[in-house]
Amino acid sequence: MVRPPSARSAVPGVGRLGLLEPSAAASLRELGWDNVESIPVLWALSRAPDADLALSTLMRLRESIGDEWAAVDSAIRTDTSLRGRLFALVGSSSALADHLVARPSAWEILRRKDLPGRDEVIADLLAVIEAEPEPGPSAAPMLFRAGISGPEVVASLRQRYRDQLMLLAALDLAATVENEPVLPYQVVGRHLTDLADAALTAALAVAVARVCKDEPVPVRLAVIAMGKCGACELNYVSDVDVVFVAEPADATATRLAAELMSVAGQAFFEVDAALRPEGKAGALVRTLDSHIAYYKRWARTWEFQALLKNRPATGDLVLGQQYRDALMPMVWTASERPDFVADVQAMRRRVEDLVPADLRERELKLGHGSLRDVEFAVQLLQLVHGRVDETLHVQGTVEALTALAVGGYVGRDDAANLTASYEFLRLLEHRLQLQRLRRTHTLPAADDEEGMRWLARAAHIRPDGRQDAVGVLTSEIRRNAVRVRRLHAKLFYRPLLESVVRLEPDALRLSPEAAIRQLAALGYAAPEHALGHLKALTGGVSRKGRIQALLLPTLLEWLSDTPNPDAGLLAYRRVSEGLADQIWFLRELRDEGAIAQRLMIVLGSSEYLPDLLINAPETIRMYADGPSGPLLLGPQTEEVARGILTAAARYDDPKRAVAAARSLRRHELARVASADLLGMLDVPQVCRALSSVWVAVLEASLLAVIRASEAERGSAAPADIAVIGMGRLGGMELGYGSDADVLFVCDPRQGEDETKAVKWAIGVADRVQQLLGAPSTDPPLLVDAGLRPEGRNGALVRTLAAYAAYYEQWAQPWEVQALLRAHQVAGDQELGVRFLHVIDKVRYPKGGVSADAVREIRRIKARVDAERLPRGADPATHTKLGRGGLADIEWTVQLLQLRHAHEVPGLHNTSTLQSLDVIEQTELLDGNDVALLRDAWLAATKARNALVLVRGKPTDQLPGPGRLLSAVARVAGWPSGDGSEFLDHYMRVTRRAKAVVERVFGA
């Protein structure tokens, strides 16, 4: 018979309590909690973050405590506050639950309703080791000597430290179970810091007793807290960063520091001294003068950023304060250092690179929109403005945000929102660490529903009527991460924009001096000019000015991370002014984040692209992503070539036809260069795309001139004409700065006078050169026929028969070598192929070229190496003629072709890379040697292209270390963007390739 609802028991069952373990009902009966009198206890238990863990721990505690359980049970029933602390603790932290079960009498500690003060905590830990103040010449208020210092002290100290940690955690978590006060984040962080200071003091006392057994301490030793401990915002589980200062810094001081680290590491937490001068490679202990000398001469910017949080923690606090007083003035002038921006950006990239890609969305500390983002930006603003504003000389992140808001460097709402996000993320970090007392910053995986549910309950997150607790937690994590991701735009750039255009009546306005200071810290070499650009972009009351003001904070953030933000901002202003009449431009930037970000990367990295984009603005729309990937990768080379030919064919006037071809070339150059700079194309793809567009423009121009000539003559052309690509054009390996090396060949048509036909062909070729070489804002189109027979003294165009006769009788070894890269590219296809058949006998002779010819090639190569390098060029870093550069690799391949192409048909190839593949397949060279040559060719081509993209003009010489080299490294795709690393890699690759070149030419 089913009971009516009114007869149902008022005692909630295990299901309603959220208990999932099969033994739960039996456990409740054993505890005597399965009755009406225990209902408040049961509901409190159900609110524990992990009710099953809490119940099983209570069962273990009951067994461990024995007869005293009745007192515990009575306290749970009568003391609501204790119940909240106990249930929340054992339902949140399995590690502290184990500690309580192992030391059951410690439950009495949880009766306390407030936190002990700093002095009480220190005294508590010192009492464990019966410490007394250290007398003698080195006596200091925080220097003690342990009365008990044997191995047993480690366990005793660990137990007492865990007791203190347990009380804090219980008070911190109690509000999740009962209506208890919520401990503010800053209170938790400060108390954890007090605990750490007490632990360091106790560890130092043990070290004193062990190292200086029979004599007073002969040295002064100060322990300087750094990082979160220095800022009084420590985590539950964290390494404690320290620096040691001693007078004198002798062996005794070093032994004291090392022993302190050992004791603390065994009893409390890891002590990390890696922030000391020279890091782990440096001396563990230094004198004050040694520290000062290091920071004056050698310290990097990030080391001054780390010093922001230094604080004397224990030991000789007077010496510690002297350390702080001596170094802090250097901290507040760090932003004036010439390498300030580069160091800050490099550190930011290093931090981001530490996080595996698959964890970036789950990392609370180092991921996108993480704690480090907030801390990094706050510290940077402190360094920028703290030089002139002492109110910013604070250590904690929250205190610093408050001071920045009061000082007018950050909007009050922004500071409040960021503080809230920071404290929320720190709360989650604390809960995750408490679970097992392990150092972690990683959220549970998205599919770990149980882990997320526990975290939501431990963080006191409840359902909101639309979502369950996990849904609310997920939404909050996403909301706060997004808010922090906009960190730089809000902290750095919005105040700058408010300084030049009033967006809101009560908005923050930086002074011009503060705005210039902030821009300089963000990497702008000419901050006054940058401020002028901002005023120009946002000037007036037009809608465009308002949109610019809304866009610019984010755009400036992206620009600041490019190699040249000054040039990028100027270029953006030019592009904006050039497209002032294009209504789509600002709309696309506003609505398509990918377009805006990619455009800023391009403008801040390249002097080659801005003019192209101004004249081919539709390319900017291609910065968006389409269904199958970036639109920049959409057009195929064949489609582009066909479009150029079709567009030019619409015009009878050669000038207009060439202008049409140039216009489409401009679009294609902008597309290819953008995709290259954004890392979407590899070197062979770039070279083929550039060569293809060159070929199409040549073809279109030649056809246009022939059409016009035929119209003027009133009859068909007297000869067929073909254009033979030479050099990199023939190999389809052009770079951005390459000319088009060509030969013009003609063949009089039947019945035509050869002299007149040749004269006509020369006129056509000359006209093509003139039209393509005419001055233009586009990158130049230089058609170079200097490789023709007799060079510049020879006829511009020859007949096929004349070429055959010349090469058969007069061809020099260097001319034969040049013909290895000859390939039909434009004009009459059949004639071009016939020309190739004619020269095949010359470049691929039966039996290979003669020994004399090989010697002559080697002689010319030696002369080129000795004489062709431009004056002042560095042979180690000249991408074309330097050691292991493009010329070295190409000459090596061509020498092997001259010697072996007659027996290896695959070497009948104009491409350097494809010929290298054949050389490897046929084992003409060892595979490792071929790999070295290939790597060097790709590295040199990539570097040469990057040089043009960065500088905007053809150049072959890599610059020395500095901003320009770093820009080239970034554009060349070097992972870290470090110019010196990039240069070292380039020189290493080319040096190894040069060894192969020398072996081949010496064989």
Side-chain angles (χ1 to χ4, degrees):
M1 177 177 176
V2 178
R3 291 183 180 179
S6 58
R8 291 178 59 190
S9 172
V11 179
V14 291
R16 292 177 67 196
L17 294 172
L19 293 165
L20 304 177
E21 290 294 327
S23 60
S27 296
L28 292 176
R29 280 196 302 274
E30 194 170 340
L31 289 169
W33 290 356
D34 59 341
N35 48 58
V36 173
E37 293 78 12
S38 302
I39 289 176
V41 174
L42 293 175
W43 285 121
L45 179 66
S46 76
R47 292 191 292 272
D50 185 338
D52 284 300
L53 173 63
L55 180 57
S56 68
T57 302
L58 290 166
M59 290 295 294
R60 292 165 58 208
L61 179 63
R62 177 176 179 273
E63 181 179 350
S64 176
I65 204 169
D67 294 341
E68 292 186 30
W69 173 253
V72 178
D73 182 74
S74 174
I76 289 172
R77 293 175 182 277
T78 58
D79 188 341
T80 306
S81 296
L82 170 69
R83 183 165 71 213
R85 291 192 287 277
L86 176 62
F87 285 9
L89 179 75
V90 297
S92 297
S93 175
S94 59
L96 290 175
D98 291 343
H99 173 74
L100 182 60
V101 170
R103 191 167 127 75
S105 61
W107 78 272
E108 294 276 5
I109 295 171
L110 301 183
R111 287 183 178 275
R112 182 165 182 162
K113 296 186 177 183
D114 60 349
L115 289 170
R118 173 185 169 83
D119 292 341
E120 186 180 347
V121 171
I122 293 173
D124 187 46
L125 284 181
L126 290 175
V128 173
I129 53 176
E130 300 179 7
E132 296 290 340
E134 171 66 8
S138 300
M142 290 290 284
L143 183 64
F144 298 85
R145 178 183 291 269
I148 306 171
S149 58
E152 71 278 6
V153 299
V154 168
S156 300
L157 286 170
R158 183 190 303 118
Q159 185 182 80
R160 189 64 60 88
Y161 180 79
R162 286 286 177 95
D163 285 348
Q164 293 284 358
L165 205 61
M166 183 177 70
L167 174 60
L168 171 62
L171 290 165
D172 188 14
L173 291 159
T176 64
V177 172
E178 297 288 1
N179 187 24
E180 291 294 299
V182 174
L183 282 188
Y185 152 74
Q186 287 175 280
V187 170
V188 175
R190 187 168 295 280
H191 190 74
L192 284 166
T193 303
D194 290 343
L195 267 176
D197 286 356
L200 291 172
T201 304
L204 180 57
V206 174
V208 166
R210 290 179 177 180
V211 175
C212 306
K213 294 181 181 179
D214 304 319
E215 60 177 358
V217 177
V219 299
R220 299 174 65 195
L221 179 68
V223 183
I224 310 297
M226 306 285 282
K228 285 186 169 63
C229 187
C232 298
E233 50 189 20
L234 202 60
N235 297 336
Y236 275 99
V237 185
S238 176
D239 292 350
V240 170
D241 296 308
V242 300
V243 169
F244 295 104
V245 188
E247 298 290 349
D250 58 10
T252 300
T254 301
R255 288 177 60 202
L256 283 170
E259 191 66 31
L260 179 155
M261 293 175 69
S262 175
V263 172
Q266 295 174 65
F268 312 120
F269 40 66
E270 290 298 315
V271 177
D272 190 345
L275 290 177
R276 65 185 184 265
E278 300 180 66
K280 293 181 179 178
L284 180 61
V285 177
R286 287 177 181 248
T287 64
L288 178 58
D289 286 344
S290 176
H291 277 284
I292 293 170
Y294 173 83
Y295 283 103
K296 280 184 175 179
R297 296 186 60 189
W298 307 112
R300 300 286 298 273
T301 301
W302 69 265
E303 293 178 279
F304 290 108
Q305 189 171 347
L307 281 174
L308 270 174
K309 294 180 180 293
N310 86 80
R311 176 184 60 83
T314 193
D316 193 320
L317 297 184
V318 174
L319 179 59
Q321 190 60 45
Q322 290 171 346
Y323 170 91
R324 180 172 170 80
D325 291 343
L327 296 186
M328 289 312 291
M330 299 186 215
V331 171
W332 299 120
T333 57
S335 63
E336 299 173 0
R337 294 160 60 93
D339 58 352
F340 177 75
V341 175
D343 276 356
V344 167
Q345 290 176 336
M347 190 171 96
R348 182 182 178 190
R349 284 192 293 272
R350 263 199 313 273
V351 167
E352 290 173 350
D353 292 342
L354 288 174
V355 186
D358 58 334
L359 291 180
R360 283 179 187 162
E361 298 303 318
R362 293 170 52 201
E363 247 286 344
L364 291 171
K365 181 178 180 181
L366 303 177
H368 296 304
S370 66
L371 293 165
R372 186 56 56 87
D373 280 344
V374 180
E375 293 163 353
F376 184 91
V378 168
Q379 290 164 25
L380 187 55
L381 279 174
Q382 283 183 277
L383 288 172
V384 171
H385 300 294
R387 179 168 56 89
V388 295
D389 189 344
E390 292 188 3
T391 65
L392 302 182
H393 296 189
V394 295
Q395 292 152 317
T397 303
V398 173
E399 292 90 341
L401 264 172
T402 302
L404 286 165
V406 170
Y409 306 103
V410 176
R412 291 183 182 274
D413 288 346
D414 297 341
N417 287 334
L418 280 162
T419 298
S421 289
Y422 183 72
E423 294 187 354
F424 172 75
L425 295 175
R426 288 300 301 271
L427 173 68
L428 297 185
E429 181 185 43
H430 282 177
R431 295 300 179 260
L432 289 166
Q433 292 181 347
L434 272 175
Q435 191 173 26
R436 296 181 179 86
L437 283 189
R438 291 180 183 170
R439 187 183 180 199
T440 181
H441 319 281
T442 307
L443 291 166
D447 57 356
D448 183 3
E449 191 170 338
E450 183 178 344
M452 288 295 284
R453 184 178 297 108
W454 168 85
L455 181 59
R457 291 167 67 88
H460 204 192
I461 289 175
R462 298 289 184 255
D464 63 359
R466 292 173 299 152
Q467 302 179 94
D468 62 8
V470 173
V472 174
L473 173 63
T474 303
S475 297
E476 281 297 295
I477 291 171
R478 188 181 304 116
R479 184 176 70 85
N480 282 280
V482 168
R483 185 155 67 181
V484 174
R485 280 174 192 158
R486 295 166 57 200
L487 173 75
H488 288 280
K490 296 295 282 181
L491 287 192
F492 292 110
Y493 302 105
R494 187 58 179 263
L496 289 171
L497 266 293
E498 297 287 2
S499 297
V500 297
V501 56
R502 173 101 34 200
L503 297 178
E504 298 170 12
D506 57 347
L508 162 73
R509 285 175 72 89
L510 291 177
S511 69
E513 294 79 10
I516 288 171
R517 204 161 55 235
Q518 198 146 309
L519 282 165
L522 294 166
Y524 290 86
E528 300 89 348
H529 295 165
L531 203 60
H533 298 323
L534 297 183
K535 290 178 181 178
L537 285 163
T538 57
V541 294
S542 68
R543 182 170 179 270
K544 288 178 181 175
R546 290 194 300 273
I547 295 175
Q548 288 280 22
L550 295 172
L551 287 172
L552 275 165
T554 304
L555 302 185
L556 286 169
E557 178 187 4
W558 288 326
L559 266 180
S560 74
D561 200 33
T562 64
N564 194 341
D566 292 84
L569 183 56
L570 172 60
Y572 177 67
R573 177 181 174 181
R574 291 176 55 220
V575 170
S576 295
E577 291 171 351
L579 301 181
D581 297 330
Q582 304 290 328
I583 60 173
W584 59 267
F585 175 62
L586 291 179
R587 184 179 65 239
E588 293 281 5
L589 295 190
R590 182 191 63 199
D591 299 339
E592 291 284 349
I595 291 181
Q597 185 170 14
R598 287 167 179 166
L599 179 61
M600 295 306 106
I601 293 171
V602 164
L603 296 181
S605 304
S606 171
E607 292 186 26
Y608 180 84
L609 269 160
D611 286 332
L612 284 175
L613 293 175
I614 290 170
N615 293 314
E618 292 79 6
T619 308
I620 295 172
R621 283 178 158 164
M622 300 179 76
Y623 285 16
D625 289 318
S628 57
L631 297 179
L632 286 168
L633 300 181
Q636 301 299 308
T637 53
E638 299 80 6
E639 298 171 11
V640 173
R642 193 159 48 246
I644 290 173
L645 291 171
T646 302
R650 296 193 184 103
Y651 301 98
D652 296 328
D653 181 359
K655 286 186 178 180
R656 298 186 67 187
V658 170
R662 273 179 173 277
S663 175
L664 291 181
R665 171 184 180 260
R666 185 186 309 132
H667 283 269
E668 183 63 1
L669 283 180
R671 180 191 73 82
V672 173
S674 297
D676 182 13
L677 192 145
L678 293 167
M680 299 175 184
L681 295 174
D682 59 26
V683 171
Q685 289 172 319
V686 171
C687 292
R688 181 156 294 276
L690 294 175
S691 303
S692 176
V693 73
W694 239 121
V695 166
V697 171
L698 265 174
E699 178 79 11
S701 303
L702 180 64
L703 293 177
V705 172
I706 291 174
R707 281 199 310 274
S709 175
E710 288 178 332
E712 184 180 339
R713 286 165 52 88
S715 61
D720 296 320
I721 186 168
V723 183
I724 307 300
M726 303 289 284
R728 290 186 177 82
L729 178 61
M732 297 297 280
E733 293 171 341
L734 287 179
Y736 296 106
S738 303
D739 296 341
D741 291 311
V742 301
L743 298 178
F744 291 101
V745 58
C746 73
D747 191 28
R749 291 178 178 171
Q750 190 170 3
E752 296 288 347
D753 180 86
E754 181 175 315
T755 302
K756 292 181 179 178
V758 171
K759 184 178 179 181
W760 172 85
I762 290 173
V764 168
D766 187 56
R767 181 68 170 145
V768 168
Q769 284 186 306
Q770 289 177 6
L771 288 171
L772 291 177
S776 168
T777 57
D778 297 341
L781 280 158
L782 299 178
V783 179
D784 189 347
L787 292 176
R788 63 186 184 267
E790 302 177 58
R792 303 194 185 281
N793 296 320
L796 180 60
V797 184
R798 292 182 182 234
T799 64
L800 181 60
Y803 273 112
Y806 175 85
Y807 286 129
E808 184 177 350
Q809 187 172 1
W810 304 108
Q812 300 295 309
W814 71 266
E815 291 178 297
V816 175
Q817 182 185 354
L819 290 174
L820 289 172
R821 307 195 76 180
H823 192 74
Q824 158 67 15
V825 294
D828 188 275
Q829 182 73 19
E830 189 269 339
L831 175 58
V833 172
R834 285 164 56 203
F835 176 87
L836 297 182
H837 286 312
V838 165
I839 65 169
D840 278 351
K841 301 172 187 176
V842 179
R843 56 183 176 175
Y844 311 130
K846 291 182 180 179
V849 297
S850 68
D852 288 341
V854 171
R855 278 195 296 274
E856 177 64 9
I857 293 294
R858 287 173 172 157
R859 186 191 68 79
I860 296 172
K861 176 69 170 65
R863 185 177 174 186
V864 167
D865 288 347
E867 300 177 5
R868 288 283 303 281
L869 198 68
R871 179 177 296 178
D874 183 349
T877 55
H878 195 276
T879 58
K880 182 178 180 181
L881 300 173
R883 292 192 292 266
L886 292 172
D888 267 351
I889 311 306
E890 290 164 0
W891 278 64
T892 302
V893 169
Q894 290 157 21
L895 180 60
L896 291 169
Q897 286 179 298
L898 290 170
R899 298 178 67 184
H900 300 287
H902 66 285
E903 57 188 2
V904 181
L907 289 178
H908 296 193
N909 196 315
T910 61
S911 163
T912 303
L913 288 180
Q914 292 174 17
S915 296
L916 279 171
D917 291 341
V918 175
I919 289 167
E920 182 174 18
Q921 292 160 10
T922 55
E923 299 183 352
L924 293 176
L925 281 182
D926 179 77
N928 291 331
D929 286 346
V930 172
L932 292 174
L933 294 175
R934 184 185 294 113
D935 289 348
W937 190 91
L938 290 169
T941 302
K942 184 70 173 175
R944 195 174 186 227
N945 282 344
L947 276 166
V948 178
L949 289 176
V950 170
R951 302 191 66 180
K953 57 186 178 183
T955 182
D956 299 310
Q957 178 66 62
L958 284 171
R963 190 166 186 166
L964 181 59
L965 179 63
S966 296
V968 172
R970 292 273 293 275
V971 171
W974 187 247
S976 68
D978 185 305
S980 296
E981 287 181 8
F982 168 76
L983 194 62
D984 288 344
H985 171 77
Y986 176 87
M987 293 172 69
R988 183 168 56 252
V989 167
T990 52
R991 184 175 63 250
R992 291 173 178 172
K994 182 65 175 180
V996 179
V997 172
E998 289 174 343
R999 283 201 300 273
V1000 172
F1001 270 86

